[in-house]
Amino acid sequence: MEIQGRLNDIIYQNEVNSYTVATFETDDEELTIVGYLPFIHPGDSLKLIGKYVTHQEYGQQFKIDSFEKTMPQTLEALEQYLANGTIKGIGPSTAKKIVDTFREETIHIFKYEPEKLALIKGISKEKALQMSQDFNENWELWQIVGYLERFGIGPQNAKKVYELLGANAVREIEENPYILVDIARGVDFKQIDKMAMDIGISCDNEKRIESGIKYSLIRISYNGHTCVEKERLILFVKDLLQVEQDTIRNCLINLNVKKQIVIEKQEEGFELVYLYPYYMAELTIAQRLISLRNFENNKEIKNLKKELKQLEKLSSIELSDKQKETLEMVNSENVCIITGGPGTGKTTVIKTIIELYEAHSKKVVLCAPTGRAAKRMTEATGKEAKTLHRLLEIGKIEDDMKESIDNDVTPIDADVIIVDEVSMVDVFLMNYLVKAIYKGTKLILVGDADQLPSVGPGSILKDIIDSKEIATIHLDKIFRQAQKSKIIVNAHRVNEGQPFLTKEEAEGSNEDFFYIRPNTQEEMIYQVLSLSSTRLSKFGDYDFFTHIQVLSPTKKGNLGTKELNTRLQETLNPASDFKKEKNSMGVIFREQDKIMQIRNNYDIYWEKKEPEYEYGSGVFNGEMGTIEKIDEIEKQVKIRFDDEKEAWYAFSDLDQIEHAYAITIHKAQRK
């Protein structure tokens, strides 16, 4: 049967497949609806096709088979639609003014006479045109979102498909479904392939095989790889498409000629296959590093040893022979790598480099791939460090295979650039970095090659070290102060394949490492909760929100981050009459919650008030913060991030954050 009405509230929505439980109001009743509803918001008018079912626990519900979004039929519904947060700059109060002013003409005004919106106080002509554009884009975008869902393409990619293909997106996809492989990430290739076969595309069609090859290379990049051996790729594609190897080989040649892939012969005799952007990014990195390395060393300090002795006297720092050797390498090379585990003196070397070159009136710039890493670098050195995104003023690096490698970047004004935590830098970000460095600038890459590789494709630090083309020093001595830390000593022991220190071996060490071995999952959860709330107080003034982070290797299960976050929130930030909260897709966000941004948002506006006023845009995957305020009237959430920037999120943007009382070990490297 078919029913029509308005979506009142979303009770639950699965962030992966958009399975939704919501309340829905028709002219006759308010009811609960369940089913797959991508890209919908409270206030939307919908036509639903489905049937009534009775749930054993929740009673009668309407189960959706298909749905259609319709224009609001009443002024009340239209006001609610405009106020739901999908159109930038329109909150509940502005929506009411617009509907009160234009009444039944409101939709016509948005579509055809947007300049009239500027008649309302507080709306400029420029803002009016932007509102109209958002209104129309949101509507056209929705027309294809349900269609794309069948191919595994979520709402987050629908706008991109719309921007690339325009209003005729559905028709173009139906004519050539394989186009989706080129323009969207995470596609369900089997669904695309089935649709193509249904419309008559033959099994050995060139477009089909070329798309299968590119899809296979995209799949490889999800595991961090930038290329694959040609013969392995052929076998994978043969299994995927059920076609002959010779046909695949011919298509590989065609793609190579069209510069959509690159086939590179290795000295060992085998060939590697890259998607073209990945190959060009790697090639650019290699060429630029060699070019920077070979340029005249015009920043060299002539009497380095003498200056180091003076510096040691003045600062009471006693440098080890290996640290002095490292500083001599920095002085003699334009590009170099400093690597080593925790406690091996990397920070002391960085601080010494800063003092040496600033004493010669050289500009030293510090940076790191994430906000948390940049903040730690700032705290350790006393000198401001920026994220690479901020330093390079990158407007946007797309999160998919069409990732541009040719975007303009702002050249870095510096004599010496020190990049920390380089193991977290992927191939695309490194490509932008090396392009932004002037010849003659010293580039010092610092990191621990034993850490997890970057989340994105490539293993930059390890590969550069393995190439032996760039001067590298491995700091391996744990300093006396660091030796008192069982954390540092045990970290090195794990790398060396040794067990943790025994109680006898650890005698005289700091009490900073405890290995607790509970017997059951409930005991483990108890340990986590009690340590997070009270038990660590006798070892120091540890506040959970400032000093403690819970890590787990997995998201799922009783000891995964999802369950731990629920339990930790209950313990550390329980519900209160004094704290507002918002239910978003089944997750309760509460004022004072600890959260993490889980994907790059290059457009969100932020402000900093201290130490001096600053503003900008962009919050990136892995940045952590605290929910300061939930505003039910404007339907916004205020978040203060760890680097003191503050940003307002619309309720519709809450899918970009998740609780961060507990995070996965993989996510921890994004910090």
Side-chain angles (χ1 to χ4, degrees):
M1 63 182 298
E2 178 185 299
I3 61 174
Q4 292 192 50
R6 184 176 64 196
L7 191 76
N8 276 349
D9 189 33
I10 295 174
I11 300 169
Y12 166 78
Q13 187 172 59
N14 184 295
E15 59 188 81
V16 176
N17 60 18
S18 296
Y19 181 81
T20 304
V21 179
T23 57
F24 189 74
E25 186 177 351
T26 69
D27 290 339
D28 303 318
E29 62 176 335
E30 183 174 274
L31 65 153
T32 300
I33 59 174
V34 296
Y36 296 96
L37 291 173
F39 213 67
I40 50 92
H41 302 275
D44 286 351
S45 295
L46 304 174
K47 181 192 293 182
L48 307 177
I49 297 174
K51 57 182 176 291
Y52 283 98
V53 296
T54 301
H55 190 282
Q56 287 184 345
E57 186 175 348
Y58 300 114
Q60 191 179 64
Q61 301 174 335
F62 188 84
K63 186 176 181 181
I64 304 161
D65 292 324
S66 63
F67 75 103
E68 179 184 336
K69 193 171 182 179
T70 61
M71 280 293 183
Q73 300 300 307
T74 67
L75 294 180
E76 181 189 1
L78 179 58
E79 182 182 327
Q80 189 176 353
Y81 171 73
L82 294 176
N84 70 11
T86 57
I87 302 173
K88 190 174 181 181
I90 300 183
S93 58
T94 304
K96 182 171 176 22
K97 290 177 187 176
I98 291 172
V99 174
D100 285 348
T101 302
F102 299 111
R103 311 293 293 172
E104 287 79 6
E105 292 293 307
T106 300
I107 292 174
H108 174 86
I109 295 294
F110 269 101
K111 283 189 168 184
Y112 306 112
E113 298 182 85
E115 63 278 358
K116 288 187 177 180
L117 292 170
L119 296 173
I120 294 172
K121 188 176 180 181
I123 300 179
S124 65
K125 186 175 180 182
E126 182 181 359
K127 194 173 179 182
L129 293 174
Q130 185 62 52
M131 287 176 176
S132 171
Q133 183 178 330
D134 288 349
F135 180 91
N136 291 313
E137 275 190 9
N138 284 335
W139 193 256
E140 290 173 359
L141 173 61
W142 183 87
Q143 304 298 321
I144 65 168
V145 77
Y147 177 80
L148 293 173
E149 190 72 20
R150 62 197 278 199
F151 302 110
I153 299 172
Q156 68 274 18
N157 278 313
K159 184 174 183 180
K160 184 177 176 191
V161 174
Y162 171 76
E163 287 172 348
L164 290 170
L165 300 182
N168 295 321
V170 172
R171 190 184 70 197
E172 289 202 36
I173 294 166
E174 286 177 340
E175 290 175 357
N176 177 20
Y178 296 114
I179 196 172
L180 292 172
V181 173
D182 291 329
I183 61 178
R185 188 180 179 91
V187 296
D188 184 339
F189 183 81
K190 289 182 178 178
Q191 282 288 93
I192 292 172
D193 199 36
K194 182 180 182 302
M195 179 182 178
M197 305 291 270
D198 287 345
I199 64 173
I201 292 178
S202 64
C203 184
D204 58 355
N205 181 279
E206 188 177 282
K207 285 181 181 177
R208 177 175 186 257
I209 298 169
E210 289 183 358
S211 291
I213 290 169
K214 288 185 283 187
Y215 168 73
S216 301
L217 289 169
I218 295 167
R219 283 279 303 273
I220 288 159
S221 74
Y222 294 166
N223 293 323
H225 303 298
T226 57
C227 59
V228 64
E229 288 183 33
K230 181 179 174 182
E231 296 307 314
R232 288 176 179 267
L233 175 64
I234 290 171
L235 290 173
F236 184 88
V237 175
K238 179 186 176 184
D239 184 60
L240 177 71
L241 302 180
Q242 298 298 304
V243 293
E244 295 298 321
Q245 291 192 25
D246 286 345
T247 311
I248 299 169
R249 292 181 193 280
N250 290 334
C251 287
L252 283 168
I253 293 169
N254 292 340
L255 287 170
N256 194 34
V257 170
K258 290 188 285 189
K259 290 190 174 181
Q260 293 184 26
I261 67 168
V262 174
I263 302 174
E264 184 183 63
K265 192 160 189 175
Q266 303 299 298
E267 291 179 1
E268 296 83 353
F270 62 88
E271 292 177 303
L272 294 176
V273 184
Y274 295 77
L275 284 166
Y276 185 77
Y278 291 90
Y279 178 81
M280 292 307 298
E282 283 200 358
L283 182 64
T284 301
I285 293 166
Q287 290 177 338
R288 289 288 299 174
L289 287 176
I290 296 300
S291 178
L292 291 168
R293 182 197 69 183
N294 293 342
F295 198 77
E296 178 188 357
N297 184 5
N298 52 27
K299 305 293 189 302
E300 186 175 14
I301 298 171
K302 301 301 180 185
N303 300 307
L304 179 67
K305 289 184 180 179
K306 182 180 176 183
E307 292 197 23
L308 283 177
K309 285 182 181 178
Q310 291 175 339
L311 193 61
E312 284 183 296
K313 284 182 182 178
L314 290 171
S315 59
S316 301
I317 293 175
E318 186 178 345
L319 297 167
S320 69
D321 291 341
K322 199 68 174 280
Q323 287 176 318
K324 290 176 183 176
E325 184 185 344
T326 303
L327 292 163
E328 288 169 6
M329 175 188 70
V330 169
N331 191 45
S332 62
E333 300 286 340
N334 281 331
V335 184
C336 63
I337 295 171
I338 303 169
T339 184
T344 55
K346 296 193 297 293
T347 300
T348 299
V349 170
I350 292 172
K351 290 169 72 173
T352 307
I353 292 169
I354 295 168
E355 290 190 49
L356 279 171
Y357 286 93
E358 287 189 342
H360 285 264
S361 301
K362 303 299 181 187
K363 184 176 180 180
V364 181
V365 168
L366 308 184
C367 56
T370 67
R372 181 61 68 91
K375 184 178 181 182
R376 283 200 303 264
M377 199 178 187
T378 299
E379 292 168 348
T381 62
K383 182 178 176 65
E384 184 191 12
K386 295 183 178 180
T387 64
L388 284 168
H389 284 85
R390 186 175 164 208
L391 178 66
L392 298 170
E393 297 181 16
I394 295 172
K396 195 161 191 173
I397 298 180
E398 296 292 347
D399 294 326
D400 64 24
M401 66 147 300
K402 291 293 287 182
E403 200 151 2
S404 171
I405 56 170
D406 298 318
N407 288 348
D408 292 331
V409 291
T410 302
I412 303 170
D413 177 21
D415 297 298
V416 180
I417 299 170
I418 305 175
V419 189
D420 200 8
E421 302 287 7
V422 179
S423 64
M424 291 192 284
V425 179
D426 66 25
V427 68
F428 290 104
L429 190 53
M430 190 68 179
N431 165 68
Y432 283 113
L433 171 63
V434 296
K435 286 168 63 175
I437 300 173
Y438 290 114
K439 290 181 180 179
T441 299
K442 282 188 178 291
L443 174 63
I444 302 160
L445 304 175
V446 184
D448 183 353
D450 292 322
Q451 285 188 358
L452 288 169
S454 62
V455 174
S459 185
I460 295 296
L461 182 62
K462 184 178 182 301
D463 287 350
I464 297 175
I465 293 171
D466 290 346
S467 75
K468 297 183 168 45
E469 290 288 341
I470 302 299
T472 301
I473 276 193
H474 184 84
L475 299 174
D476 51 10
K477 176 190 172 185
I478 306 177
F479 281 84
R480 198 162 40 244
Q481 188 66 26
Q483 285 175 352
K484 294 179 181 178
S485 168
K486 285 194 286 186
I487 295 173
I488 291 175
V489 173
N490 280 326
H492 285 270
R493 288 174 72 94
V494 169
N495 275 340
E496 293 161 6
Q498 299 179 27
F500 294 144
L501 291 171
T502 64
K503 191 172 182 179
E504 292 73 24
E505 290 172 326
E507 193 172 343
S509 300
N510 293 333
E511 286 295 305
D512 62 358
F513 182 97
F514 304 92
Y515 182 45
I516 303 169
R517 194 181 302 191
N519 294 316
T520 67
Q521 289 190 354
E522 274 307 313
E523 283 183 51
M524 292 180 194
I525 293 171
Y526 166 77
Q527 294 286 352
V528 170
L529 296 178
S530 61
L531 286 165
S532 297
S533 54
T534 56
R535 278 171 57 201
L536 287 173
S537 58
K538 66 179 181 180
F539 295 98
D541 184 19
Y542 291 122
D543 169 64
F544 181 90
F545 294 90
T546 307
H547 305 116
I548 299 174
Q549 181 62 61
V550 177
L551 304 180
S552 172
T554 181
K555 285 186 176 182
K556 297 179 180 179
N558 291 336
L559 295 170
T561 56
K562 288 187 179 295
E563 181 63 25
L564 284 173
N565 271 314
T566 300
R567 299 288 293 270
L568 285 162
Q569 183 194 41
E570 290 171 358
T571 303
L572 299 165
N573 190 30
S576 163
D577 292 339
F578 304 102
K579 294 178 185 176
K580 293 179 183 175
E581 54 186 51
K582 167 64 180 170
N583 186 322
S584 175
M585 295 182 291
V587 178
I588 301 292
F589 288 108
R590 187 173 294 136
E591 289 175 341
Q592 302 310 310
D593 269 346
K594 186 176 183 179
I595 60 89
M596 173 186 277
Q597 179 81 10
I598 58 173
R599 65 172 181 261
N600 292 341
N601 183 331
Y602 301 85
D603 303 318
I604 196 162
Y605 176 80
W606 53 259
E607 294 180 336
K608 275 188 188 180
K609 294 175 182 173
E610 294 179 356
E612 56 186 37
Y613 181 76
E614 188 180 350
Y615 65 91
S617 63
V619 179
F620 302 104
N621 187 5
E623 293 197 53
M624 297 177 71
T626 304
I627 294 177
E628 288 210 327
K629 184 177 181 181
I630 296 176
D631 188 334
E632 286 286 354
I633 296 174
E634 293 296 329
K635 298 187 182 301
Q636 291 182 320
V637 172
K638 181 182 181 183
I639 298 173
R640 178 189 288 270
F641 288 92
D642 287 349
D643 60 357
E644 303 304 322
K645 63 173 175 272
E646 296 177 350
W648 284 94
Y649 283 62
F651 282 177
S652 57
D653 290 332
L654 293 181
D655 61 341
Q656 298 179 26
I657 64 171
E658 64 182 24
H659 287 124
Y661 297 94
I663 61 176
T664 62
I665 293 167
H666 204 74
K667 273 289 185 186
Q669 69 175 315
R670 300 294 296 176
K671 293 164 62 186

